[in-house]
Amino acid sequence: MTARRLLTSPAVRWLALLALCGAYIQGGLVKLLDFDGAQAEMTHFGLQPAALAAAAVILLELGASALVLSGRLRWLGALALAVFTAAAALMANRYWESPPDARFMNMNAFYEHFGLAGAWVLVAWHDLTERPHGRS
């Protein structure tokens, strides 16, 4: 099997999408299984009411991942995860406000999150150009 044939196989595509979704699936499940901890996280970031915010984040992380992996409205799931990831970076990784000893790590996390958001936009773009009439 050639490298091109391997890399363009449906299995590799699905595994790559699973890898992109991995952190969101893990995050959604951890929040679901420790809802009190999820509420504490929402409170830490100033999101109120915390229970509603936690439920919304769980639904978004798991629901959008399901859309991406199922292929049904993949573009919508990918765009939802792009917006969520960018918003989370702006909320949690404000490196410009960090003390000097934490600035480097927060800056790396901030730009990594924006890179991931860009990857989600590419997933949406690819899905929309692959199925330009929005059949699913």
Side-chain angles (χ1 to χ4, degrees):
M1 178 176 274
T2 67
R4 180 181 179 86
R5 215 167 134 188
L6 174 68
L7 289 173
T8 58
S9 72
V12 168
R13 179 183 183 180
W14 194 84
L15 288 172
L17 291 170
L18 178 61
L20 282 171
C21 290
Y24 304 93
I25 295 169
Q26 179 270 337
L29 290 175
V30 167
K31 288 175 186 71
L32 185 62
L33 296 173
D34 180 13
F35 197 70
D36 289 339
Q39 290 180 81
E41 182 180 15
M42 299 305 123
T43 299
H44 171 76
F45 290 113
L47 300 173
Q48 293 297 329
L52 182 60
V57 169
I58 292 166
L59 181 63
L60 181 120
E61 287 182 317
L62 297 178
S65 294
L67 291 176
V68 168
L69 293 173
S70 72
R72 181 94 176 127
L73 297 174
R74 178 174 286 142
W75 65 270
L76 182 61
L79 287 180
L81 290 171
V83 170
F84 173 76
T85 303
L90 287 167
M91 194 174 298
N93 303 117
R94 301 168 68 88
Y95 68 90
W96 54 91
E97 294 177 354
S98 299
D101 62 329
R103 189 164 294 141
F104 181 77
M105 293 292 285
N106 281 335
M107 184 170 54
N108 280 345
F110 180 86
Y111 287 107
E112 286 170 358
H113 278 83
F114 266 85
L116 184 55
W120 283 122
V121 171
L122 283 173
V123 168
W125 175 84
H126 188 271
D127 193 57
L128 288 170
T129 58
E130 185 178 83
R131 294 183 279 218
H133 301 294
R135 288 183 299 237
S136 58

